[in-house]
Amino acid sequence: MALQVIDDIRQAEAEAEAIEQKAAEQARDIIRQARHEADALIAESEKESRRKAVEMLERAKAEAEAEIQPELRANEQRCDQLKGQALSRMDAAVKLILDRLGGT
């Protein structure tokens, strides 16, 4: 009878050890899966952050372009006016230079 009790205790201890090992293995699997899922979430988050950064940069460029367009057009008009004025005075400048060269 005492031997049977000892055998029963040993068998219970072996079963408990097997259960403990299985639980530890399951815990490792859960941790491994959680890390994998966390890595996937981080990668997706980084991808989304990059996409949003590019989107914000493009929006800022478009806004800046829209803001400077009127100024660029005004500058172009002013340049055209100055060119026109310079060209209208070209004949007089050439005549003046020729008169001075010929008059010396």
Side-chain angles (χ1 to χ4, degrees), residues 62-71:
E63 289 173 4
E65 184 71 25
E67 285 181 25
I68 65 170
Q69 279 304 316
E71 204 170 312

Side-chain angles (χ1 to χ4, degrees), residues 5-74:
V5 171
I6 292 173
D7 284 341
D8 289 346
I9 291 172
R10 284 184 183 153
Q11 184 177 358
E13 286 176 345
E15 288 175 6
E17 188 175 323
I19 291 170
E20 186 179 330
Q21 287 177 355
K22 186 175 181 180
E25 185 178 319
Q26 287 175 341
R28 284 191 297 274
D29 288 344
I30 290 169
I31 291 170
R32 190 174 17 257
Q33 181 64 27
R35 286 183 179 152
H36 177 72
E37 289 174 9
D39 289 344
L41 286 172
I42 289 169
E44 182 62 30
S45 177
E46 288 173 348
K47 181 180 174 183
E48 181 67 13
S49 293
R50 282 191 295 275
R51 185 193 65 76
K52 285 183 179 181
V54 167
E55 184 180 292
M56 289 171 60
L57 182 59
E58 289 174 357
R59 190 176 321 127
K61 283 181 182 179
E63 289 173 4
E65 184 71 25
E67 285 181 25
I68 65 170
Q69 279 304 316
E71 204 170 312
L72 287 175
R73 282 192 292 275

